[in-house]
Amino acid sequence: MKVDCPNCHKVYNIPDEKLPVGKKFTIPCPACKWAIKFDLRAKEEPKKKAVGEELKKKILQQLTGVLPPMPQVVVKARQIVSDESSGLKDLATAIASDQAITVRALKLANSAFYGLKQRVTSIGHASVLLGGEVLREIIIMAGTQGLLPDKLKGYELESGALWSHSLAVAIGSRLLAESRYPELSNDAFTAGLIHDVGKVMLDEHVLERKDEIEELLKDGKTSFLKAEKEVFGFDHAEIGSEVINIWGLPEALSSAITYHHDPSNSDEDRLAFLVHLADFIAVTGENDTRIDSILYEMDERTLEFLDLDEDDIGGITEKVFLYVDNVMKKIGS
């Protein structure tokens, strides 16, 4: 082994058999007595980062530590509204069992958007004044708010940004559904509200591999979604649909979330097209300067599939952001 003294730069040849392999040690330089350091311990190979199905499995195993389960009152509310034999009293009783969701629901019910002339003081009172469908919507919003964290460092989303975006997509999805497929209105609202739940699951991994992702984004043409796929082997929409399955929510919601960025690959899934267009409306209306938003493109089949035009989108956009503004003001109070 050739050894170069870092002090006097004399070079020595030391027979390999005289070196204590696997140890860390020093030898004085024969010429200047400088301590020449050696480290012959085996170098550990850098740990390979999990990708694809391996990473997806790891993330889902951590579900309970990262994301709380879907509140039972939300699941119950869906069931009650779907059951014709159930009434408003059943709905009010179900939500009253969860104090945190009750408080959030009352704040929402009293927001200017619902235009009530008197202040709502109980869920029973709200059910009478607003009706079952609206109360169900409020319950789902109240229950979902606790599932979406304030900040996502990996995705560079500031406090409240994911929640307000999710609200915009939820109301946009419902308005679009009401104009084209009224029977999908309820599911459209729910799917829009939780369409980006996969970002919550992926955020810490995005932050950990930010350098790799940013390298892919440098060309100004690669979307954040494509970068996710390149780095992880899947994107936030795919992992989001897995979360929906774990929560036991309907397959229709899982499918819509899987394809909310590329509904043309969804086998004509109407809910996927609705959420996709609502997401596009929300992103373009938020004036977000992140690369993820700037490169967001509408699936070319969307308007034709939903039988809509640009004028329809303009009218819905105004309603969406009026709704979000009213709700966010009340939630923050």
Side-chain angles (χ1 to χ4, degrees):
M1 178 185 209
K2 272 192 175 182
V3 178
D4 184 356
C5 175
N7 185 49
C8 67
H9 302 295
K10 288 202 172 184
V11 178
Y12 304 97
N13 278 307
I14 303 176
D16 289 344
E17 60 269 18
K18 291 190 176 181
L19 294 171
V21 178
K23 292 185 178 181
K24 186 178 180 181
F25 59 96
T26 59
I27 295 176
C29 171
C32 70
K33 307 304 178 186
W34 185 268
I36 305 173
K37 297 179 180 179
F38 294 82
D39 189 351
L40 300 183
R41 295 172 297 179
K43 295 279 191 287
E44 286 187 13
E45 289 290 324
K47 202 170 183 180
K48 193 175 180 182
K49 291 176 181 174
V51 294
E53 289 302 316
E54 183 186 351
L55 177 58
K56 195 184 291 185
K57 184 178 178 182
K58 178 183 175 184
I59 291 173
L60 294 173
Q61 285 174 341
Q62 296 172 338
L63 179 62
T64 53
V66 179
L67 198 66
M70 175 64 77
Q72 284 303 302
V73 292
V74 175
V75 178
K76 186 69 175 173
R78 287 181 56 84
Q79 293 170 346
I80 290 172
V81 173
S82 301
D83 184 356
E84 293 181 0
S85 65
S86 298
L88 291 177
K89 186 177 179 181
D90 299 306
L91 194 56
T93 301
I95 187 175
S97 63
D98 191 310
Q99 187 176 6
I101 290 181
T102 296
V103 171
R104 288 200 292 266
L106 288 175
K107 277 189 172 185
L108 286 163
N110 284 304
S111 69
F113 184 80
Y114 293 105
L116 295 177
K117 293 180 180 179
Q118 54 183 294
R119 184 171 177 78
V120 174
T121 56
S122 71
I123 294 301
H125 192 197
S127 69
V128 172
L129 294 176
L130 295 170
E133 288 295 336
V134 175
L135 183 58
R136 171 193 172 278
E137 178 180 298
I138 287 173
I139 291 171
I140 291 173
M141 277 195 288
T144 307
Q145 187 191 3
L147 302 175
L148 304 178
D150 275 347
K151 286 187 179 183
L152 291 182
K153 293 182 180 179
Y155 286 95
E156 299 177 3
L157 290 172
E158 293 303 316
S159 182
L162 180 60
W163 174 236
S164 62
H165 172 73
S166 299
L167 278 177
V169 179
I171 189 60
S173 297
R174 178 162 66 76
L175 289 171
L176 289 166
E178 286 173 350
S179 70
R180 290 296 177 266
Y181 313 110
E183 71 280 8
L184 294 179
S185 295
N186 289 335
D187 280 347
F189 185 85
T190 305
L193 204 56
I194 57 179
H195 76 287
D196 268 347
V197 72
K199 287 186 175 180
V200 182
M201 304 302 299
L202 263 187
D203 188 59
E204 67 173 276
H205 302 280
V206 169
L207 188 60
E208 181 184 315
R209 302 178 73 167
K210 197 74 169 180
D211 290 346
E212 294 173 61
I213 291 173
E214 288 182 345
E215 187 62 34
L216 291 170
L217 299 177
K218 275 183 180 178
D219 63 8
K221 299 176 183 178
T222 302
S223 69
F224 207 101
L225 191 75
K226 287 180 180 177
E228 285 177 1
K229 195 96 172 176
E230 181 75 23
V231 171
F232 302 119
F234 56 87
D235 56 43
H236 70 269
E238 292 176 60
I239 195 72
S241 70
E242 298 276 5
V243 174
I244 301 310
N245 292 333
I246 289 173
W247 279 339
L249 294 177
E251 173 62 29
L253 298 181
S254 175
S255 178
I257 288 168
T258 299
Y259 297 106
H260 78 268
H261 282 289
D262 55 346
S264 287
N265 291 324
S266 68
D267 193 23
E268 311 290 287
D269 188 320
R270 294 178 298 172
L271 200 53
F273 275 98
L274 290 168
V275 175
H276 170 69
L277 180 53
D279 196 21
F280 177 80
I281 289 171
V283 167
T284 53
E286 288 162 349
N287 296 317
D288 195 335
T289 57
R290 290 175 303 126
I291 192 78
D292 187 20
S293 300
I294 293 171
L295 296 179
Y296 196 110
E297 294 182 353
M298 188 196 301
D299 185 298
E300 60 184 15
R301 288 189 57 216
T302 302
L303 293 181
E304 180 184 358
F305 183 89
L306 296 176
D307 191 24
L308 293 166
D309 58 32
E310 297 289 341
D311 291 336
D312 296 315
I313 292 177
I316 287 174
T317 300
E318 186 177 349
K319 290 179 182 178
V320 164
F321 286 99
L322 174 64
Y323 178 97
V324 172
D325 185 55
N326 275 289
V327 170
M328 291 301 290
K329 282 179 182 175
K330 196 64 189 179
I331 285 291
S333 65

